[in-house]
């Protein structure tokens, strides 16, 4: 071929459109065909050591070194950390223009107030927990074990009758004592749960526990409070194994009083209550025998596995039967005082106060469940008494509902009876012997205030009961803060003399005699008295906190809760 023919342009069929132009070296072609993705890294760009992180980097993100500004929003998952994020070398947090509110917590106040203050703060504004003692390998306590210990402590408190707010504060205190931040406890009537989120990019750890059995043992409740107080103390370093050991000892501890002492206390409580409403020595003995028989029957039903509803129904029958028997025997005593004294030992004042307190503090689900439990117990008592009263009326027992209008004023005798009632109530609640004397004095003060306002001052019984219960709650909170313990042992037994036993009895008696209007009116008065007791105890507790400096977080005061919107 000549040079002229070589310079002659080739036709379109002879030259491909994808062939390289003249003067450009043709690229080397592999013998094996390969397929490349359009998202492959171009040649000449350095690939980071170890490759790109497929979990942290989107496939549409530009590689480093191109000099092109990154997009405003990442196309990756919302839960994936940014490429520049490092848990150990985190970028500085954003500070709002108004600044971060200063949190000031007084360390010499009880841990309940400090934990309650932080629980009412937003999570981002809570102060970080103090560093805990770590093991030699540099690791802290295992998170699942800390959460399990927290749930076990919360279970004992909730089963012992403690309010939901105080249970949450105790659970939060245990978590913070072991350095766990971002913990959120949740308490309902039968379920405890807690969630811990290590950081904003780590998966949260959640654990829960169901409360299936409840028991009244304030000695165990005080021991659990002491354990939480020791864990919250910065100067006391309790390991996780030591906390588990102490908790196991608390569970294994026997009740401080034997069974025969509890039965005797139940009888003495009914006898003191009968004297409180106008009974004499014969009425005292009759009410005591009836209450002791009812207590033994309730223990028998509990041993057979019957629900508490039937236990209350059976326990209410012997005191009512004793009153009917005295009336049929024409004994010149107040049979109504015998039945009223038996009802005092059965009224669920502890559950009522806890239910109303949960409602006032914003735990509406738990409050509704507790009040529903109180209603079932009350219905059980009503059924037991009504059955006996119905047969008593049919047999010709001359029971008079108008006897409720004639009250006997015996100040010294009634004060002594009220103190005896509080003393025996404290024994039934399995309280520590060191707290029995204080709660007995608190119950005597409550009855003195009620008697001075109602009998001497002529004030309505509902208002007098509310004021006396408020003083009980105030003194109970002050005593609990003095001993860094729960307020229940100092308040529950002290409200015993204020329980609406007589109003309940006369309402049931009127219903059994087909006087529904009078019976419902008396039962409504009993409900009003019960609500006055519960609200007064809670109000006294809140008033005591007004005089204690707990701390604040900017404009978020500790006393501010929901406003209803």
């Amino acid at each position: 071929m000549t040079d002229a023919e070589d310079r002659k342009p080739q036709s379109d069929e002879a030259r491909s459109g994808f062939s390289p132009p003249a003067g450009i070296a043709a690229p080397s072609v592999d013998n094996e065909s390969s397929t490349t993705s359009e998202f492959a890294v171009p040649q000449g760009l350095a690939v980071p050591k170890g490759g790109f992180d497929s979990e942290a980097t989107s496939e549409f993100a530009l590689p480093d070194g191109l000099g092109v500004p990154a997009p405003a929003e990442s196309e990756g998952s919302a839960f994936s950390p940014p490429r520049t994020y490092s848990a150990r070398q985190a970028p500085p947090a954003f500070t709002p223009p108004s600044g971060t509110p200063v949190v000031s917590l007084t360390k010499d106040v009880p841990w309940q107030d400090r934990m309650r203050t932080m629980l009412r703060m937003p999570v981002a504004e809570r102060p970080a927990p103090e560093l805990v003692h770590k093991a030699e390998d540099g690791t802290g306590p295992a998170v699942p074990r800390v959460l399990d210990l927290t749930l076990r402590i919360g279970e004992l408190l909730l089963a012992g009758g403690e309010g939901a707010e105080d249970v949450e504060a105790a659970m939060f205190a245990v978590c913070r004592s072991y350095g766990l931040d971002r913990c959120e406890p949740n308490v309902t009537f039968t379920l405890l749960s807690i969630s811990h989120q290590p950081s904003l990019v780590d998966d949260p750890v959640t654990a829960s526990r169901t409360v299936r059995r409840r028991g009244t043992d304030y000695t165990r409740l005080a021991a659990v409070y002491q354990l939480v107080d020791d864990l919250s103390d910065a100067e006391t370093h309790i390991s996780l194994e030591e906390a588990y050991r102490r908790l196991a000892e608390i569970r294994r501890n026997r009740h401080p009083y034997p069974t025969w002492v509890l039965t005797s206390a139940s009888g003495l409580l009914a006898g003191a209550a009968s004297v409180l409403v106008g009974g004499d020595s014969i009425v005292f003995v009759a009410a005591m025998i009836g209450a002791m028989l009812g207590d033994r029957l309730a223990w028998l039903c509990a041993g057979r596995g019957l629900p508490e509803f039937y236990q209350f129904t059976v326990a209410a029958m012997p005191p009512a039967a004793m009153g009917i028997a005295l009336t049929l025997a024409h004994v010149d005593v107040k049979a109504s005082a015998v039945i009223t004294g038996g009802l005092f030992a059965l009224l669920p004042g502890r559950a009522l106060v806890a239910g109303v307190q949960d409602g006032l503090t914003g735990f509406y689900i738990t409050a509704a469940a507790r009040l529903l439990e109180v209603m079932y117990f009350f219905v059980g008592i009503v059924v037991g008494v009504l059955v006996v009263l119905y047969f008593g009326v049919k047999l010709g027992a001359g029971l008079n509902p108008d006897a409720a209008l004639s009250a006997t004023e015996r100040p010294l005798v009634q004060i002594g009876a009220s103190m005896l009632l509080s003393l025996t109530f404290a024994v039934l609640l399995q309280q520590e012997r060191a707290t029995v004397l204080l709660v007995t004095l608190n119950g005597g003060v409550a009855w003195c205030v009620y008697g001075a306002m109602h009998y001497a001052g002529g004030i309505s019984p509902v208002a007098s009961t509310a004021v006396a219960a408020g003083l009980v709650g105030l003194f109970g909170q002050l005593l609990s803060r003095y001993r860094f313990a729960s307020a229940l042992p100092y308040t529950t037994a002290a409200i015993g003399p204020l329980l609406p036993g007589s109003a309940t009895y006369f309402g049931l008696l009127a219903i059994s005699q087909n006087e529904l209007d009078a019976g419902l009116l008396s039962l409504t008065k009993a409900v009003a008295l019960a609500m006055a007791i519960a609200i007064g105890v809670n109000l006294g507790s809140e008033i005591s906190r007004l005089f204690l400096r707990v701390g604040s977080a900017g404009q978020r005061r500790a006393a501010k809760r929901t406003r209803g919107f």
Side-chain angles (χ1 to χ4, degrees):
M1 180 180 293
T2 61
D3 294 339
E5 292 177 350
D6 190 23
R7 291 192 302 269
K8 183 179 179 180
Q10 299 178 357
S11 61
D12 293 339
E13 293 80 1
R15 180 172 57 86
S16 172
F18 296 96
S19 60
I24 301 298
S28 59
V29 180
D30 296 337
N31 295 331
E32 299 180 358
S33 62
S34 60
T35 303
T36 58
S37 171
E38 61 270 21
F39 302 107
V41 180
Q43 296 182 358
L45 291 180
V47 180
K49 185 178 181 180
F52 294 105
D53 189 0
S54 59
E55 296 181 356
T57 308
S58 172
E59 60 270 20
F60 298 100
L62 294 175
D64 296 334
L66 287 182
V68 181
E73 296 180 0
S74 175
E75 297 292 339
S77 173
F79 299 98
S80 60
R83 291 184 296 107
T84 60
Y85 181 83
S86 175
R88 296 185 178 181
Q89 297 179 356
F94 172 74
T95 303
S98 59
T100 303
V102 178
V103 180
S104 176
L105 296 175
T106 307
K107 292 187 177 182
D108 55 352
V109 299
W111 58 266
Q112 299 98 308
D113 294 329
R114 289 187 282 114
M115 296 303 111
R116 189 182 294 110
T117 302
M118 285 187 283
L119 276 175
R120 295 172 185 172
M121 297 179 187
V123 179
E125 297 181 6
R126 294 174 184 170
E130 298 180 358
L131 297 178
V132 298
H133 177 70
K134 295 185 177 182
E136 296 179 357
D137 55 356
T139 60
V143 173
R145 295 195 65 194
V146 174
L147 298 184
D148 178 71
L149 176 67
T150 303
L151 291 175
R152 291 178 183 271
I153 291 177
E155 178 189 9
L156 289 180
L157 293 177
L158 187 62
E162 190 61 80
E165 187 179 29
D166 292 328
V167 175
E168 280 196 358
M171 296 171 64
F172 191 68
V174 175
C175 287
R176 290 185 63 87
S177 63
Y178 288 105
L180 299 187
D181 198 7
R182 297 187 181 93
C183 290
E184 288 296 334
N186 188 18
V187 177
T188 57
F189 185 58
T190 57
L191 182 65
L192 297 170
S193 63
I194 187 167
S195 178
H196 166 62
Q197 189 173 10
S199 66
L200 298 177
V201 295
D202 293 331
D203 296 332
V205 181
T206 304
S208 61
R209 194 174 183 88
T210 303
V211 180
R212 302 189 184 276
R213 296 185 60 184
R214 290 177 175 81
T216 303
D217 190 346
Y218 282 1
T219 300
R220 178 180 297 175
L221 188 70
V224 176
Y225 259 79
Q226 184 62 44
L227 174 59
V228 178
D229 183 53
D230 293 340
L231 291 175
S232 304
D233 190 2
E235 299 179 356
T236 304
H237 301 286
I238 300 179
S239 63
L240 196 60
E241 288 73 16
E242 177 67 17
Y244 265 107
R245 186 189 62 80
R246 290 182 56 178
L247 188 63
E249 291 179 355
I250 293 173
R251 286 180 174 273
R252 287 195 301 264
N253 284 343
R254 301 181 61 183
H255 298 303
Y257 307 102
T259 304
W260 66 270
V261 173
L262 298 179
T263 302
S264 302
S266 177
L268 290 175
L269 189 152
S274 64
V275 174
L276 200 62
V277 294
D280 52 11
S281 58
I282 300 178
V283 172
F284 180 90
V285 175
M288 180 177 176
I289 295 175
M292 292 174 67
L293 290 176
D295 181 76
R296 286 293 86 198
L297 289 177
W299 276 95
L300 181 62
C301 293
R304 297 293 181 179
L306 291 179
E308 287 183 296
F309 176 85
Y310 302 104
Q311 297 177 27
F312 275 82
T313 302
V314 172
M317 290 182 176
M322 290 295 296
I324 296 295
L326 291 176
T327 304
L328 293 177
H330 302 287
V331 180
D332 188 15
V333 294
K334 284 187 175 182
S336 59
V338 177
I339 304 176
T340 301
L343 293 179
F344 265 85
L346 298 176
L347 292 179
R350 173 182 56 87
L352 176 66
V353 172
V356 175
Q357 181 180 359
D358 289 340
L360 294 176
T361 52
F363 296 86
Y364 301 111
I365 297 178
T366 307
R370 288 186 188 271
L371 294 178
L372 184 62
E373 182 187 36
V374 171
M375 186 190 72
Y376 273 105
F377 292 162
F378 191 77
V379 171
I381 298 172
V382 168
V383 171
V385 175
L386 277 181
V387 169
V388 177
L389 291 180
Y390 177 78
F391 286 104
V393 172
K394 291 298 182 181
L395 293 176
L399 300 175
N400 185 15
D402 296 334
L405 301 177
S406 59
T408 304
E409 297 183 15
R410 298 176 297 176
L412 296 179
V413 175
Q414 289 178 333
I415 291 175
S418 65
M419 297 180 66
L420 177 61
L421 193 152
S422 299
L423 172 65
T424 53
F425 202 174
V427 173
L428 286 176
L429 294 174
Q430 305 278 359
Q431 292 190 194
E432 293 180 301
R433 292 178 173 85
T435 63
V436 171
L437 178 60
L438 295 176
V439 74
T440 301
L441 296 176
N442 200 6
V445 171
W447 182 258
C448 290
V449 174
Y450 172 80
M453 295 183 64
H454 178 56
Y455 295 114
I459 303 175
S460 67
V462 176
S464 303
T465 301
V467 174
L471 289 178
V472 169
L474 176 62
F475 292 156
Q477 284 292 332
L478 295 178
L479 290 174
S480 66
R481 279 166 168 75
Y482 175 73
R483 292 177 174 265
F484 289 84
S486 173
L488 286 181
Y490 303 99
T491 57
T492 305
I495 65 173
L498 305 176
L499 292 177
S502 59
T504 304
Y505 161 69
F506 287 109
L508 298 179
L509 177 59
I511 292 176
S512 66
Q513 296 180 350
N514 294 326
E515 298 179 4
L516 296 180
D517 294 338
L520 293 178
L521 181 61
S522 184
L523 290 179
T524 304
K525 177 183 176 181
V527 173
L529 290 173
M531 294 296 293
I533 292 173
I535 295 176
V537 170
N538 181 263
L539 182 61
S541 303
E542 295 293 338
I543 290 176
S544 66
R545 293 170 185 159
L546 296 178
F547 303 99
L548 297 176
R549 181 177 177 272
V550 180
S552 61
Q555 300 298 324
R556 295 183 180 270
R557 298 289 180 182
K560 284 189 177 180
R561 296 189 179 96
T562 174
R563 295 178 178 267
F565 55 82

